[in-house]
């Protein structure tokens, strides 16, 4: 009896890409797709294809710089922490948001706190070490001017404040910062 060995070959850019992340120290790039696939490319020989359990689009990818870990945020409002330090990368931790839809996330350089912006305009904080939500929430009405009474919309951007690294810059859908 003759056994045939099949090898699956992937080449080119992934189908329906939705987001990209880059680790400048390790020089690897991660590409997320609408179907929940994750492709990691690096130096010659580094080409890994992974798949989330559900068919949900990956909306954002964030590398833990030079740590061999990657955070993927999916359209079903789940976060996954991938360990890329092995031959077969796997998910270390997962966290599912129940009450609010995730719109944007930010991980400051060498920080253990991941900031999660939501559709309601709030910012939740996740400890990256144990992947647990902290009890602290930045509510939209506490983050903007007290004179503004209308909802600013969802969080569309989070970053370190260029003038003061101890502050968080929050961009809202209406343009309010």
């Amino acid at each position: 009896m003759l056994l045939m060995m099949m090898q699956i070959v992937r080449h080119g850019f992934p189908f329906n890409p939705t987001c990209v992340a880059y680790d400048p120290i390790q020089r690897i790039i991660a590409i997320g797709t609408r179907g929940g696939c994750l492709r990691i490319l690096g130096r010659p020989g580094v080409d890994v294809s992974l798949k989330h359990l559900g068919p949900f689009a990956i909306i954002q990818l964030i590398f833990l710089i030079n740590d061999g870990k990657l955070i993927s945020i999916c359209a079903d409002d789940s976060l996954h922490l991938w360990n890329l330090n092995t031959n077969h990368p796997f998910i270390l931790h997962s966290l599912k948001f129940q009450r609010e839809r995730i719109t944007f996330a930010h991980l400051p350089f060498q920080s253990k706190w991941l900031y999660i912006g939501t559709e309601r305009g709030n910012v939740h904080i996740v400890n990256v070490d144990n992947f647990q939500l902290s009890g602290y929430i930045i509510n939209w009405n506490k983050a903007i001017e007290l004179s503004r009474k209308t909802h600013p919309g969802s969080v569309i951007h989070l970053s370190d404040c260029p003038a003061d690294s101890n502050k968080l810059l929050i961009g809202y859908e209406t343009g309010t910062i």
Side-chain angles (χ1 to χ4, degrees), residues 20-31 40-43 61-70 84-85 109:
V20 175
Y22 180 66
D23 184 336
I25 306 296
Q26 295 187 19
R27 295 184 177 171
I28 54 176
I29 190 170
I31 305 162
I40 300 167
L41 303 166
R43 64 185 178 278
L61 294 169
I62 302 169
F63 273 108
L64 277 67
I65 303 296
N66 202 27
D67 197 15
K69 294 184 179 126
L70 176 72
L84 306 177
N85 288 323
F109 183 65

Side-chain angles (χ1 to χ4, degrees), residues 80-131:
H80 307 280
L81 179 64
W82 293 85
N83 182 357
L84 306 177
N85 288 323
T86 64
N87 288 340
H88 302 288
F90 60 94
I91 295 176
L92 282 171
H93 300 288
S94 291
L95 179 64
K96 176 97 167 96
F97 271 58
Q98 300 295 330
R99 296 188 178 120
E100 296 187 57
R101 298 206 46 90
I102 298 172
T103 55
F104 195 83
H106 171 63
L107 179 67
F109 183 65
Q110 294 185 334
S111 175
K112 67 176 186 171
W113 302 108
L114 175 68
Y115 298 96
I116 306 290
T118 66
E119 191 175 55
R120 292 184 183 173
N122 301 321
V123 178
H124 297 266
I125 302 169
V126 174
N127 184 323
V128 176
D129 293 337
N130 58 17
F131 233 58

